[in-house]
Amino acid sequence: MLNPVGKIGLSLRSRVKKPPVVELLEVGRVLSVADDVVTVAGLGHVKAGELLEFENGTAGLALNLERGRVGCILLGTAHGIGEHSMVQRSGKLLKVPAGEPLLGRVVDPLGRALDGKGKIAAEEFRPVEYRAPGVIERESVHEPLETGILAVDSMIPIGRGQRELIVGDRQTGKTSLAVDTILNQKGKNVVCIYVAIGQKNSTVASLVLKLRQMGAMDYTFVVSATASDRTSLQYLAPFAGCAMGEYFMYRGRDVLIVYDDLSKHAVAYREISLLLKRPPGREAYPGDVFYLHSRLLERSAKLNPERGGGSMTALPIIETKEGDISDYISTNVISITDGQIFLDSGLFFAGFRPAINVGVSVSRVGGAAQNKAMKKVAGRLRLDLAQYRELQSFSQFSSAVDKNTKKHLRRGERAMEILKQRRFCPLPAEEQIVFIYCAVNGCLDSVRLPDIGFFLKGLTGYLLGEKGGDLLKSLRGGADLPAVEPDLKRCIEEFSKIFRSEHPAPDVR
């Protein structure tokens, strides 16, 4: 019979050699719960942005750190959480899945699949809040990110790594402009992310369907926090999408991210802040609403070659009321971004689409994000449009207009006509250059306004045929305009003769 004392001695010796691991947990108690905002006491060492675990299994995110209490937002259901419920620290920051498995998927801000295709097999997890690249890590924006929209690529160019705001009233084509930009990235090795904040479920579903039909979901994924989702998820959505995009940027890839829209994001943050009892400021927004969007948009950058040379281009969207771009959130985001594209409701209802007001829109990168040929023809286009707007307002008060003024008005009308473009039909850069060249050099002066679309479509087909040779390929490759201008001029003249024989010229006397 074994001695029980010997057993105890053996057990003590093994414990001394290999002491048990002691895990210390910091546990607190819930003081109050209201509208997915929880106040907790007893967590003296919690960090800002740290995940908390409630006894019903729901996770929370610590936002307010006060003396003796912590304010946090729930990322799941509040059912089962009440006064005196237990909560403990996790010691972890909120992270989301990132990597190639996201492409083609629709996920929520926590990285959970919403498309019924199974769990995301993540390669890596990235923190939702991350430091923006510093000045030394960045490079100046110099590569174009072509949107396929003639008015934008010619006069409001966007570069890779730029932050360009899309601003306008409700139902003026803001989302369509962003979707056209995503469609135009096909075959250009650009990862696209669409972040839906506070949109209707039906709107997001129809957008995903359109992207699938156009073959864009192969290089795109959607982060969705709709109007029916929790306010906490709407608040996290743009930061989660940005974190997912940073995975590709820091690996040398080019990323395009659309935030649709940040005005709803600001409203969600205002709701959370008021529930956390933060002091309200202008229009009841908290004082750090500027920092909210600046720390998000500053993460978009063009990295230098030492950091991999990747880029993340941001297209934030802001919805205005009655075209007022001087409201609080609009002016905040305008001051953060590198320019804005203003969509005018007056132009939209007049049938001019995309309804871009070129006079108010601006790109602070300018010609640095354009190829040589586009830069040359676009400068003259902007000048012609400026002259047209001035002469148009002047001619309204005069019955008699001289011949030279008529010529400028006619050319301006045709320049405005080539800026009209259908939805989901992005134009390649080389075709845009040809269209602008025709407008600014008077090649369309003898073409009737209703026939301009037919003329440009026919000219494109003519250039793609044997007569055009390698002209479009040269322009696509970045050739300078003087090198290809003789061939381009010859082709336009040859096609114009064919077109005039089928469509008689109007009387312009």
Side-chain angles (χ1 to χ4, degrees):
M1 186 174 176
L2 291 173
N3 185 0
V5 178
K7 280 188 179 181
I8 294 171
L10 183 64
S11 175
L12 287 172
R13 276 192 291 273
S14 63
R15 290 183 184 182
V16 170
K17 287 180 181 177
K18 190 177 180 181
V21 177
V22 179
E23 187 177 355
L24 296 176
L25 295 176
E26 190 173 350
V27 180
R29 289 190 177 274
V30 173
L31 295 178
S32 64
V33 186
D35 296 316
D36 290 341
V37 170
V38 183
T39 305
V40 178
L43 300 179
H45 299 90
V46 71
K47 298 175 182 176
E50 184 178 340
L51 281 175
L52 305 179
E53 298 172 1
F54 291 86
E55 62 182 36
N56 70 337
T58 298
L61 189 66
L63 289 184
N64 262 26
L65 304 183
E66 303 172 24
R67 186 182 295 275
R69 62 178 60 195
V70 176
C72 69
I73 54 173
L74 292 177
L75 304 180
T77 179
H79 183 70
I81 301 175
E83 196 173 346
H84 302 304
S85 295
M86 303 290 288
V87 57
Q88 67 181 38
R89 290 181 59 196
S90 68
K92 301 173 185 176
L93 298 177
L94 179 60
K95 294 186 177 183
V96 290
E100 299 288 341
L102 285 168
L103 296 178
R105 304 298 299 273
V106 182
V107 298
D108 73 356
L110 301 179
R112 298 174 298 199
L114 298 175
D115 51 8
K117 295 183 178 180
K119 190 177 177 182
I120 305 293
E123 298 176 7
E124 187 179 319
F125 286 81
R126 288 195 60 86
V128 168
E129 295 279 1
Y130 194 70
R131 179 186 65 85
V135 176
I136 305 301
E137 300 170 77
R138 297 174 184 250
E139 191 176 40
S140 60
V141 176
H142 61 277
E143 295 176 297
L145 187 132
E146 292 156 356
T147 65
I149 298 164
L150 193 146
V152 175
D153 291 341
S154 59
M155 293 177 286
I156 321 157
I158 300 172
R160 300 193 179 193
Q162 188 175 344
R163 300 150 303 176
E164 185 79 5
L165 173 65
I166 302 173
V167 59
D169 285 1
R170 183 175 175 273
Q171 297 291 326
T172 51
K174 302 184 297 298
T175 301
S176 296
L177 194 151
V179 171
D180 280 344
T181 306
I182 291 174
L183 296 178
N184 198 53
Q185 306 314 309
K186 191 171 185 177
K188 297 180 180 177
N189 197 27
V190 177
V191 175
C192 298
I193 307 167
Y194 179 83
V195 182
I197 310 161
Q199 306 292 321
K200 291 189 292 186
N201 280 305
S202 59
T203 303
V204 178
S206 62
L207 184 139
V208 172
L209 180 62
K210 174 57 71 175
L211 291 176
R212 288 199 195 283
Q213 289 172 345
M214 303 294 285
M217 285 301 284
D218 296 337
Y219 55 89
T220 305
F221 62 91
V222 176
V223 180
S224 175
T226 60
S228 59
D229 288 326
R230 298 179 179 279
T231 308
S232 56
L233 294 183
Q234 294 180 44
Y235 159 70
L236 287 173
F239 295 101
C242 186
M244 294 169 184
E246 283 174 332
Y247 170 89
F248 299 98
M249 180 178 73
Y250 285 111
R251 279 162 179 75
R253 301 278 296 276
D254 292 311
V255 180
L256 168 66
I257 184 164
V258 177
Y259 302 112
D260 191 7
D261 62 63
L262 289 189
S263 49
K264 290 186 177 69
H265 180 239
V267 169
Y269 185 61
R270 175 173 64 182
E271 183 179 330
I272 289 171
S273 298
L274 292 174
L275 287 168
L276 287 168
K277 295 184 172 53
R278 292 180 178 176
R282 178 177 164 186
E283 297 179 28
Y285 288 104
D288 64 338
V289 71
F290 180 89
Y291 175 61
L292 170 76
H293 288 149
S294 64
R295 78 174 188 266
L296 169 69
L297 295 171
E298 281 298 319
R299 290 162 71 176
S300 299
K302 170 66 178 172
L303 300 178
N304 60 31
E306 289 76 19
R307 294 284 289 168
S311 70
M312 182 153 62
T313 308
L315 294 181
I317 295 175
I318 291 288
E319 185 179 301
T320 57
K321 291 176 181 158
E322 299 295 327
D324 180 20
I325 59 172
S326 63
D327 70 291
Y328 189 31
I329 301 302
S330 298
T331 50
N332 276 352
V333 181
I334 285 171
S335 65
I336 297 165
T337 51
D338 307 313
Q340 69 274 350
I341 299 170
F342 179 63
L343 296 171
D344 192 336
S345 57
L347 290 173
F348 183 86
F349 294 122
F352 187 88
R353 300 171 189 177
I356 299 171
N357 188 325
V358 180
V360 180
S361 303
V362 66
S363 171
R364 296 190 182 101
V365 171
Q370 285 180 312
N371 62 40
K372 295 177 183 177
M374 178 63 84
K375 198 184 297 186
K376 284 197 173 172
V377 295
R380 292 181 60 187
L381 176 64
R382 186 179 280 276
L383 185 63
D384 281 358
L385 287 173
Q387 286 179 337
Y388 169 69
R389 284 193 295 268
E390 187 177 345
L391 290 172
Q392 188 186 37
S393 59
F394 170 75
S395 61
Q396 289 176 353
F397 303 101
S398 176
S399 57
V401 179
D402 63 81
K403 189 176 180 181
N404 191 43
T405 303
K406 276 186 178 179
K407 177 186 172 184
H408 282 298
L409 285 170
R410 191 164 58 248
R411 188 163 295 183
E413 286 172 347
R414 280 143 184 79
M416 291 291 287
E417 194 67 25
I418 68 165
L419 297 181
K420 293 181 181 178
Q421 201 169 328
R422 290 188 303 154
R423 281 200 312 165
F424 312 132
C425 296
L427 283 174
E430 61 272 16
E431 291 183 23
Q432 294 182 25
I433 293 168
V434 172
F435 292 178
I436 298 170
Y437 182 86
C438 289
V440 299
N441 287 283
C443 303
L444 301 176
D445 287 0
S446 60
V447 181
R448 294 186 307 131
L449 277 177
D451 294 335
I452 285 176
F454 299 111
F455 179 90
L456 296 176
K457 188 176 181 181
L459 177 61
T460 303
Y462 187 83
L463 291 173
L464 287 170
E466 294 180 4
K467 294 287 182 183
D470 296 328
L471 185 60
L472 291 178
K473 288 182 182 178
S474 300
L475 289 171
R476 190 183 305 126
D480 202 357
L481 191 61
V484 298
E485 190 169 8
D487 289 336
L488 178 60
K489 197 172 182 180
R490 174 182 55 81
C491 289
I492 293 172
E493 287 175 354
E494 289 175 1
F495 176 75
S496 295
K497 290 177 184 176
I498 299 170
F499 190 83
R500 276 197 297 269
S501 65
E502 299 173 358
H503 302 78
D507 184 5
V508 296
R509 289 178 298 174

